[in-house]
Amino acid sequence: MLPLERLGIVVLTNGAPAGLADAVALDFFDTAEHGRPGTDWLALTSSLYAAAAEAERSPTDYAHPPAGAKPARDPAAYTGTYRNPYYGPLTVTASPGGKGLVLSLGPRPLRFPLTHYDGDTFSFETTGENAVGRTGVTFADGTVRVEYLDRDHLGTFTRQ
């Protein structure tokens, strides 16, 4: 067995993927096999992760409501518990003071203040390692659709 056949590397990270860990590993293998890196792996991997992150972003700019946006209904029209067989429960409550809505989601519920966009559409800023920026939340006929969870058509929750 050749020495290179037993050579390996483990690169661990707990951050959002940005290409650095991949670049370290790829530089290591280039150096082991060719004596030096042959490619700017950091530029390549970071551009791939940036492109993937951009592809996950909403095509709608929820930070800027359209001209002539319709007002939201009374908060009571949206509040309640909604269920989804994949993601579990989602709760919408009136924020303290009754000014606005808060969406709660997850086993240890994360709370997201909703910002009105247009009619029955709101938005919130995603967080954590799966963050995709501002995403839409649309209420219709006893359901709520969370845009960034709906990539595989699993993001619609039904009112209970």
Side-chain angles (χ1 to χ4, degrees):
M1 185 178 287
L2 297 173
L4 286 178
E5 291 176 348
R6 292 193 271 166
L7 189 60
I9 184 173
V10 174
V11 182
L12 302 175
T13 178
N14 66 349
L20 183 58
D22 308 75
V24 168
L26 291 164
D27 275 352
F28 175 84
F29 287 118
D30 261 2
T31 301
E33 191 170 340
H34 305 292
R36 64 181 175 74
T39 301
D40 182 354
W41 292 112
L42 182 57
L44 177 64
T45 57
S46 64
S47 69
L48 291 173
Y49 280 114
E54 189 59 34
E56 295 295 318
R57 290 188 164 286
S58 175
T60 303
D61 182 1
Y62 289 105
H64 300 95
K70 297 178 195 99
R73 292 183 283 157
D74 184 79
Y78 308 109
T79 59
T81 299
Y82 300 78
R83 297 219 180 270
N84 175 293
Y86 187 76
Y87 289 107
L90 173 152
T91 304
V92 178
T93 56
S95 60
K99 302 250 184 207
L101 297 168
V102 177
L103 182 147
S104 300
L105 181 64
R108 288 184 296 177
L110 296 174
R111 295 173 48 85
F112 301 99
L114 296 178
T115 302
H116 181 253
Y117 179 70
D118 182 20
D120 292 332
T121 302
F122 296 78
S123 70
F124 69 89
E125 189 69 34
T126 57
T127 60
E129 67 183 34
N130 296 319
V132 295
R134 190 157 284 282
T135 192
V137 175
T138 304
F139 295 87
D141 300 322
T143 65
V144 60
R145 178 184 168 267
V146 180
E147 181 183 29
Y148 94 108
L149 299 177
D150 203 39
R151 178 175 162 195
D152 295 317
H153 308 291
L154 296 172
T156 298
F157 296 72
T158 304
R159 181 177 245 150
Q160 298 302 293

